[in-house]
Amino acid sequence: MNTLVFPRPVLGFCAYGSGSGKTTLLTRLIPVLTARGLRLSVIKHAHHKFDVDKPGKDSYRLREAGAVQTLVASDIRWALMTERQRIPTQQNEPVNLPELLSQLDPDVVDLVLVEGFKQADIDKIEIHRPSLGYPLLAPEDHHIIAVAADGPVTGLAVPTLDLNNPEAMADFITHWMEDRTS
């Protein structure tokens, strides 16, 4: 059960290590869920420095000039970039899921998918590839509600899903959402 407060369901996707295919899975699962009429938001945790802006663009120049937040908008999309290292209370603090969820508009979304944040107190589906040799997180994490694997996994107290079957995974997720609202 999620202990995080957000007015829409929040479902995480986690794995023991990188290279397990979390992003690949989500890029296959998102079209299936949206075809079923769900409006999705996605939060992805990056473990490294990244930039969504390009040097030379006006928004990049404004942000590099010292803006704490830069909102770039057009008629088809908008993006908000926040420089956390310029906020004294957040300079040395790791990014956290409640902070990011507070930036989302719950009125335009039915479900939030979270990639990473494996320590978060939210319901999660663990991505597991037995061939990688990583241990399972599910036996130690009571927030994991299923394991999506591409090979046999035994002895679990949670359902095992076929990692290569996004339709079946979407069925599981829609049932999970229905159970949460009933």
Side-chain angles (χ1 to χ4, degrees), residues 94-113:
V95 68
N96 63 71
L97 195 51
E99 171 190 348
L100 300 174
L101 282 168
S102 73
Q103 302 303 310
L104 298 180
D105 182 351
D107 294 332
V108 300
V109 65
D110 301 308
L111 171 64
V112 178
L113 303 178

Side-chain angles (χ1 to χ4, degrees), residues 76-124:
I76 49 176
R77 75 180 54 90
W78 64 267
L80 174 64
M81 291 169 281
T82 301
E83 294 296 320
R84 295 180 79 250
Q85 75 272 8
R86 293 181 186 151
I87 304 169
T89 59
Q90 295 180 352
Q91 283 177 344
N92 298 314
E93 294 295 317
V95 68
N96 63 71
L97 195 51
E99 171 190 348
L100 300 174
L101 282 168
S102 73
Q103 302 303 310
L104 298 180
D105 182 351
D107 294 332
V108 300
V109 65
D110 301 308
L111 171 64
V112 178
L113 303 178
V114 176
E115 180 182 335
F117 291 97
K118 68 181 168 190
Q119 305 301 327
D121 292 337
I122 58 171
D123 289 351
K124 295 175 282 235

Side-chain angles (χ1 to χ4, degrees), residues 1 3-4 7 12 25 34 44 48 112 174:
M1 184 66 171
T3 58
L4 191 70
L25 169 64
T34 58
K44 177 178 173 45
H48 44 77
V112 178
T174 54

